[in-house]
Amino acid sequence: MKVYLFLLIALYFFIFQNSFCQKKIILKNLTCEYKNNPLGLDANNPRFAWMIESINQKDIIQNSYQIKVSTIQNDLKTSNKLFWDSGKITTGQSIQIPFNGKKLSSKQRYFWQVKVWTNKGESEWSEINFWETGLLSPSDWVASWIETNLKEDISKTQPTQYFRKEFKSNDNIISARAYITSHGLYEAFINGKRVGDALFTPGWTSYNKRLQYQVYDVTSLLKNGTNAIGVILGEGWYRGTLAWDNNRNIYGSQLALLMQVEIKYASGKVETIVTDESWKSSMGPILSSEIYNGEVYDARLEKKGWSDANFGDNDWKIVKNVSISKDNLIGMDGPLVRRIDEIKPLKLIFTPKGDTVLDLGQNMTGWVKLKVKGNKGTKITIRHAEVLDKNGNFYTENLRKANAQLEYILKGDGIEEIYEPHFTFMGFRYIAIKNWPGKIDLNNITGIVIHSDMEKTGSFECSNPLLNKLQHNIQWGQKGNFLDVPTDCPQRDERLGWTGDAEVFAPTASYNYNVAPFFTKWMKDVAADQLENGAIPAIIPDVLHGVMAGACGWADVATIIPYVIYSHFGDKQILEKQYPSMKAWVEFMRKTAGQKFIINSGNHFGDWLSYNSTDPGGESAYTDKDLLATAFFAYSTDILSKSAKIIGKEDEARDYEALHNNIKKAFQKEFITADARLSPNTQTAYALALEFDLVNEDQKIKAAERLANDIKHRGNHLSTGFLGTPHIAQALSHNGQLQVAYDLLLQESYPSWLFPVKMGATTIWERWDGIKSDSTFQDKGMNSFNHYAYGAIGDWMYTNIAGITLDPKNPGYKHFFVRPQPDKRILSAKGTLISPYGKIISDWKIVNGMFIISVTIPPNSSAEIKLPHSNLSQVREKNVIIKKGDGINEIQQLNENVLIKLGSGNYEFTYPFSFKE
Ligand code: BGC
């Protein structure tokens, strides 16, 4: 009996405790400048963010927070000697909160902790997180830049350079940091082990103005006694072949290294090992390694132990100190490039022309890792291709002059050799192998997928497998082209930061991944390379001396991306930082347009790659460039005016609003007839005019009808290029033509989004007909099979099919809409998004005449859901007719839809549903 009583009491406490626990407010995902415990931040006021969690509680809203910062971890517990105490701040803001204490010191670790108070109780103090500052001032660099003394012929590609240095540590090491940057790309080693796992460091920026350095925790790589540092330098974007032909030495002709390792000993002593003339350099097995051209690696020339202590380096040459300014050195904003995925080849093919080919099943960016055993001196060659031609032969003509080839020469000492290239990457699905010793075993070859290591945030799926494949292709397009900068393509002799491509894809990119840090970094280069007159070059970093600067829709990256990042991530700072650049761009256009407010000059790409009929009587779709340039002038001005308001520049906001009104009036006078006809009468003209709010309210429906008619007239096909494509479906669904938007999206014949999918695409193509229906190719001069621009439709699928939609008044999903707009041809869809506040889910299906939707709204956020074709009296939430309370804050029937305002939590709504005829 006693035992039973005891068990009962224990059970009671267990249940009580548990339910108590479940009501707790928990703080998770603490970040500082979007990163978890970052090293090397050079922000003076880094921004904090956290997510709130509470199982089983709904409608959680933060009322206030308190942040504590200290330099000694224990001080946080005692609250003694705090470096900063925000005090209890009454606000719902839980993201983008700037540190606001004393001036930060270089190379210092700061610990921080947060506590919040919500309407449903308070949290404990969070776990302790930290950030570490980098070298905040150029004078913190005590190392010298060094260059090799080896002879080089800089007119052509040169072997990779190896650097080394030995030193003694005679005390117990407590911690050590390596600060590294280079001219060219570097890979660093300490005592034979790789420092970090980043690739393509120091990244690509407008080097002469902004050169990033990286910071690594190298404590575990060092030892008591003799240590060695080794660094390899490759040509990279700095001086390798770039931007067509033999364009080399763009930023300089010499590779150089700057590195300092700071070691803290138990005794309190601090020692700094720096690059100086005590370092030595030599050549090694990498005979060449270039972004476009692949790598030649002769394993026979390997220098075993070259980055270990006690290596015989007598024949290595002393390096020279060079005087190079350190004023351009900056910490990292963006993510590092890393190895992200591995892909196993699917099959071995022997082509009609006699090539031995492996199919990896996925067009990817990176390289293959080889495991091979064979005779000394055997030269294996690997070529890369995105596609096979119609006869099944290996096709590389679309790579143009990019050699994209690996040559590996075996050392052949009887053991398995493992090889991966270093300072090159390829865009490919197929590889052709020559001279592989013995039989090819697919297990010995692995595709290594690399890209900027962004947090994956979004997913989309629905009942249509072709759309799911399209989403897959969009995501792979993003993976393949977010490689430190947003590139147009990863395979041919281009791979450049084309501004237009990035601008059109940015909203979709912001659903798939957290791209805020990635674009924050790149937008600083946009500003850095902006011309004095305010025009933005079409490629950033600007390696072609201001090429096509001011091209409409390309240069507008200056305003569009900062605003996209603000909208998706609630990041006001990017608007503040980019504002001068945004303004200079708009002022450039104002000057170009003059008093007529119409831009009718300048060089523009126009609606790049829009539909071009091959039938002599067929209708192509050419949109006049004056219309395009003026439409983007209006759009950028509108964004600038809104941005000015957001960052508190009210006067400027009003000025730009007035300018916007003038442009709008001029646009209407010049390009829109009284009966809502656009001149030029193209899909792109309608899409931009409608989406950029250049059509008067009373003309919108009519204009959208005209757009829809053009689409129908073309048999439900689009005719848009780079500029119209991102907006066409939105222009339709925003203006009463939802079904036509679906007709376009679900179209399977050329030109359409699904045509490439039907043709077996695994990424987004540059052209609607990269491979034509007869399996022949488009012009080899411009036919990439991995160009993300047309993937801009992803944004429409998240917002209209899944229904996850931003509320422009509450950026970063502080409040958002769930507005699925189903179509008869799609019976279910699910979108998920890790927003700055936590995970959002919209997951609906139509089953037996019932519409069932599950939604998740993260704590400290709220949403308004619009239930399509619903009747208030029939809507149930988890089987009970809906009523206010428990997270449901307002219910309203508005025309044929029920609108419900929801607090955080999970909900499931069900109601009888039929499509409107
Ligand atoms: C690139 C683009 C780019 C375009 C400019 C092409 O070569 O691949 O995607 O935007 O040039 O029109």
Side-chain angles (χ1 to χ4, degrees):
M1 186 62 191
K2 258 191 182 160
V3 175
Y4 279 120
L5 198 68
F6 175 75
L7 279 177
L8 214 65
I9 293 170
L11 191 70
Y12 171 80
F13 274 106
F14 179 75
I15 292 169
F16 175 77
Q17 274 271 328
N18 245 5
S19 57
F20 179 74
C21 281
Q22 289 189 344
K23 292 242 148 126
K24 267 194 184 163
I25 298 287
I26 298 161
L27 297 176
K28 286 221 165 142
N29 283 19
L30 271 67
T31 54
C32 184
E33 285 298 311
Y34 292 101
K35 295 177 181 130
N36 190 247
N37 296 333
L39 298 189
L41 283 193
D42 76 354
N44 293 324
N45 299 90
R47 291 160 298 166
F48 305 112
W50 51 87
M51 290 181 187
I52 299 172
E53 258 184 30
S54 176
I55 304 159
N56 287 345
Q57 290 205 99
K58 285 185 169 162
D59 203 13
I60 297 166
I61 289 293
Q62 176 189 299
N63 295 327
S64 39
Y65 72 78
Q66 184 174 2
I67 297 172
K68 293 192 293 191
V69 175
S70 70
T71 51
I72 298 171
Q73 186 163 358
N74 219 26
D75 288 350
L76 287 180
K77 292 199 186 106
T78 58
S79 276
N80 265 336
K81 291 195 264 160
L82 291 179
F83 188 73
W84 181 54
D85 183 349
S86 68
K88 190 170 168 184
I89 306 288
T90 308
T91 175
Q93 194 183 346
S94 57
I95 63 169
Q96 307 280 346
I97 295 167
F99 164 80
N100 200 13
K102 287 176 283 188
K103 195 167 182 304
L104 300 174
S105 311
S106 291
K107 301 178 281 182
Q108 173 72 49
R109 180 174 286 207
Y110 295 91
F111 298 93
W112 72 283
Q113 225 181 354
V114 58
K115 174 183 169 84
V116 305
W117 290 262
T118 75
N119 56 344
K120 300 284 164 87
E122 63 190 65
S123 72
E124 305 273 320
W125 279 99
S126 70
E127 280 184 359
I128 294 175
N129 275 240
F130 66 83
W131 84 94
E132 250 180 58
T133 48
L135 303 178
L136 301 179
S137 136
S139 60
D140 292 324
W141 285 94
V142 285
S144 307
W145 278 100
I146 54 168
E147 286 176 2
T148 184
N149 269 318
L150 296 165
K151 258 208 146 64
E152 291 192 295
D153 174 3
I154 55 150
S155 68
K156 55 178 199 263
T157 184
Q158 292 298 292
T160 295
Q161 301 171 4
Y162 287 67
F163 292 78
R164 74 182 308 277
K165 152 96 186 162
E166 279 188 19
F167 63 95
K168 283 204 171 59
S169 295
N170 291 327
D171 198 347
N172 285 335
I173 298 166
I174 303 186
S175 75
R177 296 285 177 272
Y179 303 85
I180 320 177
T181 188
S182 56
H183 287 170
L185 301 173
Y186 74 82
E187 279 185 10
F189 300 80
I190 290 181
N191 296 325
K193 296 216 177 73
R194 179 85 146 81
V195 174
D197 57 358
L199 304 167
F200 295 92
T201 45
W204 189 10
T205 45
S206 176
Y207 289 136
N208 299 332
K209 300 162 198 153
R210 298 171 13 89
L211 174 59
Q212 298 183 129
Y213 63 89
Q214 285 74 37
V215 184
Y216 304 91
D217 182 346
V218 293
T219 318
S220 64
L221 299 182
L222 290 168
K223 57 180 194 237
N224 210 332
T226 311
N227 288 290
I229 305 175
V231 179
I232 317 177
L233 291 188
E235 310 205 294
W237 299 286
Y238 191 85
R239 75 163 191 190
T241 307
L242 205 61
W244 310 299
D245 300 321
N246 203 21
N247 194 10
R248 300 181 49 75
N249 303 314
I250 290 180
Y251 294 95
S253 60
Q254 300 301 318
L255 302 182
L257 173 67
L258 180 71
M259 174 167 184
Q260 67 193 44
V261 178
E262 220 173 279
I263 308 169
K264 286 191 182 143
Y265 293 106
S267 61
K269 200 177 105 189
V270 177
E271 187 179 16
T272 310
I273 310 298
V274 297
T275 40
D276 57 19
E277 282 180 346
S278 66
W279 288 56
K280 286 180 154 189
S281 80
S282 181
M283 302 294 178
I286 308 175
L287 299 181
S288 72
S289 194
E290 271 202 309
I291 304 276
Y292 294 161
N293 294 329
E295 181 162 304
V296 179
Y297 189 96
D298 188 343
R300 294 171 303 183
L301 303 178
E302 278 177 1
K303 299 185 166 163
K304 203 160 182 270
W306 71 277
S307 62
D308 282 320
N310 305 318
F311 170 80
D313 61 9
N314 288 343
D315 57 341
W316 287 46
K317 272 210 153 103
I318 293 291
V319 302
K320 58 176 174 232
N321 274 346
V322 276
S323 151
I324 297 172
S325 163
K326 291 167 192 153
D327 292 346
N328 61 341
L329 297 179
I330 48 166
M332 300 256 314
D333 285 310
L336 293 163
V337 177
R338 291 200 168 91
R339 291 174 181 79
I340 307 287
D341 285 329
E342 296 201 348
I343 295 187
K344 283 269 150 224
L346 294 182
K347 59 178 177 217
L348 182 61
I349 302 166
F350 298 101
T351 69
K353 281 198 181 156
D355 284 319
T356 302
V357 168
L358 289 191
D359 177 4
L360 282 96
Q362 174 62 50
N363 197 10
M364 54 163 275
T365 299
W367 51 72
V368 282
K369 172 168 150 185
L370 311 179
K371 278 198 229 160
V372 61
K373 209 164 146 182
N375 292 335
K376 183 171 181 173
T378 308
K379 182 160 103 187
I380 300 172
T381 308
I382 310 277
R383 290 182 300 135
H384 300 76
E386 294 183 287
V387 287
L388 301 181
D389 71 13
K390 72 190 263 194
N391 301 317
N393 285 315
F394 202 69
Y395 180 79
T396 56
E397 281 174 43
N398 68 327
L399 308 187
R400 304 193 307 214
K401 287 189 181 147
N403 197 25
Q405 175 170 307
L406 304 178
E407 281 178 25
Y408 180 74
I409 302 161
L410 272 76
K411 57 178 172 268
D413 51 13
I415 47 170
E416 191 173 67
E417 299 175 36
I418 296 180
Y419 169 68
E420 284 186 49
H422 299 77
F423 303 113
T424 185
F425 61 89
M426 274 69 55
F428 64 101
R429 168 176 168 172
Y430 300 92
I431 56 165
I433 307 178
K434 214 166 107 190
N435 254 348
W436 187 270
K439 234 180 113 197
I440 294 176
D441 176 351
L442 297 193
N443 291 317
N444 289 332
I445 294 153
T446 311
I448 306 293
V449 178
I450 63 161
H451 56 83
S452 287
D453 195 0
M454 307 163 287
E455 182 197 359
K456 188 165 187 301
T457 47
S459 72
F460 170 86
E461 60 188 301
C462 70
S463 59
N464 182 317
L466 294 177
L467 290 187
N468 294 344
K469 193 69 210 294
L470 176 62
Q471 169 66 13
H472 166 101
N473 294 357
I474 294 170
Q475 268 172 330
W476 275 89
Q478 186 162 356
K479 281 161 168 281
N481 285 299
F482 276 53
L483 202 151
D484 212 60
V485 305
T487 60
D488 55 334
C489 56
Q491 74 297 82
R492 69 183 179 216
D493 52 350
E494 197 144 355
R495 316 184 198 183
L496 302 169
W498 282 99
T499 50
D501 308 40
E503 171 268 293
V504 302
F505 188 62
T508 300
S510 303
Y511 276 104
N512 291 331
Y513 287 88
N514 180 345
V515 291
F518 177 87
F519 277 130
T520 299
K521 170 215 170 226
W522 186 67
M523 287 311 300
K524 287 184 183 171
D525 290 303
V526 169
D529 281 344
Q530 185 163 20
L531 306 188
E532 257 178 30
N533 63 7
I536 310 273
I539 293 171
I540 301 290
D542 173 23
V543 288
L544 283 175
H545 318 292
V547 74
M548 291 292 281
C552 72
W554 270 251
D556 297 279
V557 75
T559 52
I560 295 173
I561 291 191
Y563 202 71
V564 168
I565 298 304
Y566 164 74
S567 306
H568 279 264
F569 303 95
D571 189 331
K572 208 161 107 178
Q573 186 176 288
I574 194 169
L575 295 181
E576 284 157 355
K577 294 244 155 115
Q578 295 299 130
Y579 188 79
S581 155
M582 298 163 79
K583 184 172 159 180
W585 165 236
V586 169
E587 287 300 332
F588 171 87
M589 289 189 284
R590 191 204 303 243
K591 216 167 153 199
T592 313
Q595 279 315 302
K596 286 193 170 153
F597 305 104
I598 296 286
I599 297 183
N600 56 12
S601 61
N603 292 324
H604 305 284
F605 295 108
D607 192 22
W608 191 248
L609 297 182
S610 61
Y611 180 68
N612 208 337
S613 176
T614 46
D615 165 6
E619 293 165 59
S620 292
Y622 178 76
T623 309
D624 182 273
K625 290 180 181 168
D626 295 1
L627 177 140
L628 295 171
T630 308
F632 275 96
F633 177 27
Y635 189 42
S636 275
T637 306
D638 186 33
I639 291 177
L640 183 65
S641 157
K642 287 180 182 142
S643 304
K645 192 152 186 215
I646 292 159
I647 62 174
K649 293 181 185 292
E650 299 286 342
D651 288 353
E652 298 202 3
R654 269 192 300 277
D655 280 0
Y656 288 114
E657 197 182 323
L659 174 61
H660 177 253
N661 288 336
N662 284 332
I663 307 167
K664 186 169 171 174
K665 270 189 230 137
F667 183 95
Q668 293 181 346
K669 198 165 146 226
E670 185 82 14
F671 303 112
I672 309 181
T673 70
D675 204 17
R677 186 190 305 275
L678 263 289
S679 163
N681 195 23
T682 62
Q683 293 178 11
T684 290
Y686 286 98
L688 296 188
L690 284 164
E691 280 305 283
F692 294 175
D693 195 24
L694 296 169
V695 181
N696 278 337
E697 276 316 306
D698 57 353
Q699 286 190 314
K700 280 188 175 164
I701 294 297
K702 185 81 207 201
E705 258 170 41
R706 290 189 184 280
L707 169 60
N709 286 339
D710 185 85
I711 292 166
K712 287 180 199 156
H713 172 72
R714 293 169 188 268
N716 291 333
H717 287 105
L718 42 72
S719 67
T720 48
F722 271 33
L723 297 184
T725 302
H727 301 287
I728 190 167
Q730 298 284 16
L732 290 164
S733 56
H734 283 152
N735 296 290
Q737 298 290 344
L738 178 70
Q739 201 197 315
V740 180
Y742 272 106
D743 292 343
L744 264 193
L745 178 65
L746 295 171
Q747 175 61 261
E748 294 177 18
S749 62
Y750 165 77
S752 69
W753 285 283
L754 293 186
F755 174 69
V757 171
K758 292 284 279 186
M759 294 298 285
T762 60
T763 35
I764 300 294
W765 295 351
E766 177 174 26
R767 313 184 73 130
W768 297 119
D769 58 348
I771 303 176
K772 300 180 189 183
S773 40
D774 64 0
S775 295
T776 58
F777 293 127
Q778 250 289 0
D779 178 18
K780 65 179 184 215
M782 230 184 53
N783 199 18
S784 145
F785 294 99
N786 197 356
H787 239 71
Y788 52 56
Y790 287 152
I793 188 64
D795 164 60
W796 193 86
M797 301 203 290
Y798 277 105
T799 51
N800 291 278
I801 308 181
I804 301 174
T805 310
L806 283 167
D807 172 1
K809 292 202 186 98
N810 292 283
Y813 299 88
K814 177 76 175 137
H815 177 267
F816 60 97
F817 301 107
V818 180
R819 289 176 175 167
Q821 304 210 61
D823 178 87
K824 269 191 188 147
R825 292 159 282 186
I826 293 175
L827 294 177
S828 68
K830 179 177 181 184
T832 67
L833 176 67
I834 301 172
S835 76
Y837 294 90
K839 193 164 189 179
I840 294 172
I841 303 175
S842 169
D843 181 4
W844 61 263
K845 56 187 175 208
I846 300 168
V847 184
N848 299 332
M850 298 296 284
F851 192 85
I852 305 163
I853 180 165
S854 304
V855 290
T856 299
I857 290 122
N860 205 25
S861 164
S862 60
E864 182 191 273
I865 183 169
K866 181 172 174 181
L867 299 174
H869 314 307
S870 54
N871 188 318
L872 191 51
S873 61
Q874 295 175 319
V875 179
R876 291 169 173 265
E877 202 272 314
K878 303 222 173 90
N879 275 331
V880 181
I881 288 286
I882 44 165
K883 56 175 188 316
K884 268 168 89 168
D886 202 22
I888 299 182
N889 293 330
E890 260 182 70
I891 312 167
Q892 186 195 355
Q893 178 87 45
L894 192 70
N895 306 326
E896 61 202 18
N897 309 303
V898 171
L899 300 185
I900 310 170
K901 287 199 186 330
L902 297 169
S904 67
N906 303 321
Y907 306 85
E908 187 184 271
F909 300 103
T910 320
Y911 58 94
F913 178 87
S914 61
F915 283 100
K916 229 177 52 179
E917 284 314 316

